[in-house]
Amino acid sequence: MTVQKQGTDELLGLDKFTVDEENAHIVLDKTACAVCNDKPCLVVCPAGLYKLNDKGEVLFDYAGCLECGTCRIMCHQLKQWKYPAGTFGVSFRFG
């Protein structure tokens, strides 16, 4: 048996995401993000959904969220974190 290491994109491709385009389940406080020095969200999200743009602003796309709650624990500046409404969110299809 050969074990192969897969990247984040490959692993996320195994999951199915049904996105609620009208109701984000995670909302950032951009003002708080701007003054946050540590920015733990950039390193703790297993889906790698938090990124910095060229201006140093935190960008986030909840469409690929694994709903693990890691960002909720690490960042106390989130405006909102809740599970997506029924039938929306991630469906783990394999492994």
Side-chain angles (χ1 to χ4, degrees):
M1 180 171 136
T2 303
V3 177
Q4 216 175 25
K5 183 177 180 180
Q6 294 180 314
T8 303
D9 291 338
E10 294 169 311
L11 292 169
L12 291 176
L14 299 174
D15 302 323
K16 178 182 174 194
F17 298 92
T18 307
V19 180
D20 185 349
E21 298 286 344
E22 303 200 8
N23 298 301
H25 66 284
I26 298 174
V27 179
L28 301 181
D29 181 344
K30 295 285 188 173
T31 306
C33 291
V35 297
C36 177
N37 292 325
D38 296 330
K39 297 189 183 357
C41 58
L42 299 175
V43 294
V44 300
C45 178
L49 300 179
Y50 295 85
K51 309 250 189 257
L52 283 181
N53 67 10
D54 295 338
K55 297 177 186 177
E57 301 167 326
V58 176
L59 303 177
F60 172 70
D61 182 11
Y62 64 93
C65 180
L66 298 171
E67 303 165 27
C68 66
T70 303
C71 62
R72 184 175 83 177
I73 294 167
M74 293 303 295
C75 175
H76 302 289
Q77 306 300 329
L78 294 177
K79 279 188 179 179
Q80 171 181 293
W81 194 104
K82 62 181 182 178
Y83 287 106
T87 73
F88 291 107
V90 63
S91 297
F92 298 102
R93 298 189 295 180
F94 180 76

